[in-house]
Amino acid sequence: MKRLLLPLLFLILFSAQKFVPAQDTADSLLPPVVLKPIPEEWGDDKRLWQGIPSMTLAPNGRLWACWYTGGTTEGNENYVLLVSSNDKGKTWTKPLLAIDVPGPVRCYDPSMWTDPDGNVYLFWAQSNTFWDGRSGTWYIKTSNGNDENPQWSEPKRACDGIMMCKPIVDSKGRYILPASVWNILPDHPDRTLQPGAHFVVSEDKGKTWKSIGLSTVPREYALFDEHNIIEKKDGSFWLLQRTKNGMSDSVSTDGGKTWSEAKPAYPHTSSRFFVRRLKSGNLIFVKHGAMDEKTPKRSHLQAYISDDDGKTWKGGLMLDERTGVSYPDGDQTPDGIIYIIYDYNRYSDKEILLARITEEDVLAGKIVSKDAALQLLVNKSTAITPPRNPLIFTPNQNQDGKPLLKGGTPAFDLQNAEVDTFKKGVKLFGDRDNYLLKDYLPALDGKKFIRSKSIRNTDTVTCKTPGVVYVYTPLPNRNKDNIVDYLLKNGFEKVAAPEVLLFGDYTGNIATLYQKQMKQGETLKFGCWGVLVY
């Protein structure tokens, strides 16, 4: 959809902006276009998927909510939408504006926040492709968030990384952004922040920002940090972040400069959660399942209260038990009403939903307050997602490759990976249930392959018994997420065999086969993405 917009439209809408020719990941440093009104082809009856919402309250109680969408999934076509409600979430406007960058840049992972002076902020991230190794946190703000159509500031870039959860203001008046540089491949040579969950501080009310510390987890457990920061009553800071195996937490006692070693905190399915200080001084925690439970899927979104600064949790109000609910965020009115926003079935129902509750409801484990309500509809895309047509492509024959090697079957020290049989329909990656093996060189049928826990995981395998190893990965012109350079540097050679559509129906999944005779003691370490067959 996004590509249909004429360059002239961008010049008209943003004529004051100076657009310069962009190259590679420098595109993501370009200021976005603020589209008001949004194009017709982005309307509620056109969007094929949507989710990952956030919300905030203006000083007069007006609710603001945002999420992102665009294209058929998370990728270059993504843009951010904004809506508003002035009746406690009962009814909502149509999308009022969109945030977008022309070209191959996605605008995604938005977050909303209102500062102590009443300014309403809309944050989002910008990256070339799904993840370019750097990304960047951008924002616009308004001092007139009480109005349905306020004047917004020019877009400004705060720092490298992605800010998925709300800022806080600490007891010293510092504005603190929980921005993250994902500790996953690829790396970026020009980023200014190292991978990890950062503590980004402004001491001048948002005019300038600087990271003064960060919490990290080992790369094998790192994913999308999506961290929440809480200032404890004793002045320390508590940081909770998402990992591959649940939540981890760490503590800073020097104002965010240094952090304790991140350790497992609460079990949780792989998804964002929400932790916030309430007006009462208590904490609210919204997660999937009970506090000591890891639900197998994104379901059973529940809220809890702590009156002892997070040592124990009480209540357990079920906000939505259905499978497909995810990514809670929220805010609270001065008189105690708590709003929690989340999404439901991003690719089918395509709903953004809201809960309106109080602390009493959470502690009671059921609705007891007068104005409480669950599953209020913020927005629903009514577009019908068409079935995908089979991908038709002309495979590269790879005639510059070598004949297929034949030899003994190696054995590996697998560490975090698992082994399965290479056959049609098998699941290729631990975190992608729909990435099923579709096509491959017939000579590999029935061999073993190593299934990594994540398509973006950095797996390490060590050869214990010599033998021939094969790896499928896309050529660079097919997909930026490839490991061709790594394979060639480590002695692999291209096989003289045609490309195959390894899985799915996307050109980036068209893969080429590489091979090597591995020796005992040799180690392979690679990330996104390759499939090792032997």
Side-chain angles (χ1 to χ4, degrees):
M1 302 290 183
K2 168 173 166 177
R3 301 296 184 266
L4 299 177
L5 293 177
L6 298 175
L8 178 61
L9 174 62
F10 292 112
L11 292 175
I12 293 173
L13 292 170
F14 234 49
S15 58
Q17 292 284 351
K18 181 181 179 182
F19 284 91
V20 296
Q23 295 181 353
D24 300 324
T25 56
D27 293 355
S28 64
L29 300 177
L30 292 174
V33 178
V34 180
L35 295 161
K36 294 178 62 178
I38 70 168
E40 288 185 11
E41 59 264 36
W42 293 356
D44 289 352
D45 61 339
K46 301 292 195 300
R47 298 189 299 275
L48 300 180
W49 80 283
Q50 62 180 17
I52 306 91
S54 179
M55 61 85 56
T56 194
L57 284 152
N60 72 338
R62 175 178 290 277
L63 277 68
W64 289 96
C66 64
W67 64 91
Y68 81 93
T69 178
T72 59
T73 188
E74 299 177 45
N76 298 356
E77 301 288 335
N78 297 159
Y79 55 87
V80 173
L81 293 178
L82 181 72
V83 295
S84 181
S85 170
N86 206 31
D87 58 5
K88 297 184 178 181
K90 295 177 183 177
T91 62
W92 292 80
T93 64
K94 294 291 186 180
L96 299 170
L97 62 80
I99 303 291
D100 185 37
V101 177
V105 178
R106 65 187 300 230
C107 295
Y108 65 111
D109 286 357
S111 181
M112 296 206 75
W113 177 62
T114 303
D115 72 14
D117 294 329
N119 298 303
V120 174
Y121 286 73
L122 170 59
F123 294 89
W124 68 91
Q126 287 183 197
S127 173
N128 275 57
T129 69
F130 178 85
W131 166 245
D132 61 15
R134 175 181 60 190
S135 195
T137 297
W138 289 72
Y139 65 91
I140 56 175
K141 67 176 182 178
T142 180
S143 60
N144 200 18
N146 294 333
D147 292 345
E148 182 175 306
N149 290 291
Q151 182 69 38
W152 295 90
S153 65
E154 295 295 313
K156 183 177 179 181
R157 192 177 192 271
C159 60
D160 286 355
I162 299 153
M163 195 196 74
M164 274 296 297
C165 302
K166 274 183 165 48
I168 66 167
V169 179
D170 71 2
S171 56
K172 296 180 180 179
R174 301 183 301 175
Y175 292 7
I176 299 164
L177 304 184
S180 165
V181 174
W182 295 342
N183 193 10
I184 60 176
L185 294 175
D187 296 318
H188 195 292
D190 298 325
R191 66 187 178 204
T192 59
L193 300 182
Q194 68 186 85
H198 283 264
F199 190 89
V200 180
V201 171
S202 175
E203 296 184 345
D204 53 13
K205 294 188 174 183
K207 295 179 181 178
T208 59
W209 302 92
K210 181 181 179 181
S211 174
I212 65 171
L214 77 163
S215 172
T216 62
V217 297
R219 196 167 215 170
E220 59 263 33
Y221 300 115
L223 195 61
F224 318 124
D225 295 310
E226 299 173 354
H227 56 297
N228 289 257
I229 296 173
I230 295 291
E231 184 178 18
K232 295 265 194 156
K233 293 178 180 179
D234 63 5
S236 64
F237 288 93
W238 186 32
L239 185 151
L240 282 156
Q241 65 193 101
R242 173 184 173 184
T243 69
K244 289 178 182 175
N245 55 348
M247 296 182 208
S248 72
D249 69 349
S250 53
V251 175
S252 174
T253 57
D254 59 2
K257 297 177 182 177
T258 62
W259 292 84
S260 64
E261 179 183 356
K263 296 182 178 180
Y266 301 102
H268 200 243
T269 193
S270 184
S271 190
R272 185 175 74 172
F273 49 89
F274 175 69
V275 186
R276 199 77 180 165
R277 178 80 64 186
L278 297 173
K279 308 294 183 184
S280 64
N282 294 335
L283 297 176
I284 187 170
F285 203 140
V286 181
K287 70 180 290 288
H288 294 281
M291 292 302 298
D292 59 352
E293 176 187 10
K294 179 179 180 180
T295 59
K297 297 181 179 180
R298 293 178 173 182
S299 65
H300 295 83
L301 206 59
Q302 295 178 247
Y304 300 87
I305 296 291
S306 175
D307 58 9
D308 56 8
D309 234 14
K311 294 178 182 178
T312 60
W313 297 92
K314 299 178 180 179
L317 176 64
M318 183 68 71
L319 303 179
D320 200 323
E321 65 182 0
R322 297 173 295 175
T323 298
V325 293
S326 68
Y327 274 60
D329 184 58
D331 204 354
Q332 187 183 27
T333 64
D335 61 355
I337 297 175
I338 302 166
Y339 291 94
I340 302 295
I341 197 170
Y342 60 97
D343 60 37
Y344 174 59
N345 283 341
R346 299 171 186 175
Y347 296 89
S348 54
D349 294 272
K350 299 184 282 288
E351 292 180 351
I352 309 297
L353 300 173
L354 188 77
R356 185 174 63 234
I357 58 175
T358 65
E359 282 194 63
E360 291 71 27
D361 299 320
V362 178
L363 290 171
K366 60 182 180 180
I367 298 299
V368 295
S369 60
K370 179 181 178 181
D371 292 329
L374 301 178
Q375 298 185 24
L376 295 170
L377 184 64
V378 176
N379 186 272
K380 178 180 178 68
S381 171
T382 57
I384 299 175
T385 304
R388 291 187 176 183
N389 295 320
L391 177 65
I392 299 174
F393 69 100
T394 302
N396 186 332
Q397 297 299 311
N398 294 317
Q399 294 177 348
D400 56 340
K402 302 293 184 181
L404 187 73
L405 288 174
K406 295 181 180 179
T409 301
F412 291 99
D413 179 359
L414 299 175
Q415 295 191 17
N416 293 319
E418 60 182 30
V419 174
D420 206 339
T421 301
F422 202 63
K423 60 183 179 180
K424 287 190 176 182
V426 71
K427 178 179 171 181
L428 291 173
F429 305 99
D431 63 341
R432 297 290 192 274
D433 290 340
N434 59 333
Y435 285 14
L436 307 180
L437 183 58
K438 177 177 287 186
D439 193 16
Y440 51 91
L441 191 66
L444 302 183
D445 188 66
K447 287 185 176 292
K448 298 177 181 178
F449 82 99
I450 294 177
R451 180 191 294 119
S452 59
K453 289 188 175 180
S454 167
I455 192 172
R456 298 187 176 275
N457 195 26
T458 301
D459 284 323
T460 300
V461 294
T462 302
C463 183
K464 297 193 297 183
T465 303
V468 178
V469 173
Y470 311 95
V471 174
Y472 267 120
T473 192
L475 293 173
N477 66 321
R478 293 292 192 188
N479 195 333
K480 290 184 178 180
D481 290 337
N482 68 84
I483 57 170
V484 171
D485 285 346
Y486 176 82
L487 294 175
L488 295 177
K489 289 177 182 177
N490 284 273
F492 281 79
E493 295 180 318
K494 183 190 294 184
V495 177
E499 294 176 304
V500 297
L501 181 60
L502 200 66
F503 60 92
D505 55 5
Y506 163 58
T507 56
N509 302 334
I510 299 171
T512 288
L513 189 63
Y514 291 79
Q515 64 186 3
K516 178 183 178 179
Q517 175 75 45
M518 286 195 68
K519 299 176 182 178
Q520 183 178 359
E522 282 191 288
T523 296
L524 290 178
K525 183 176 183 179
F526 55 86
C528 188
W529 59 261
V531 176
L532 190 154
V533 185
Y534 64 100

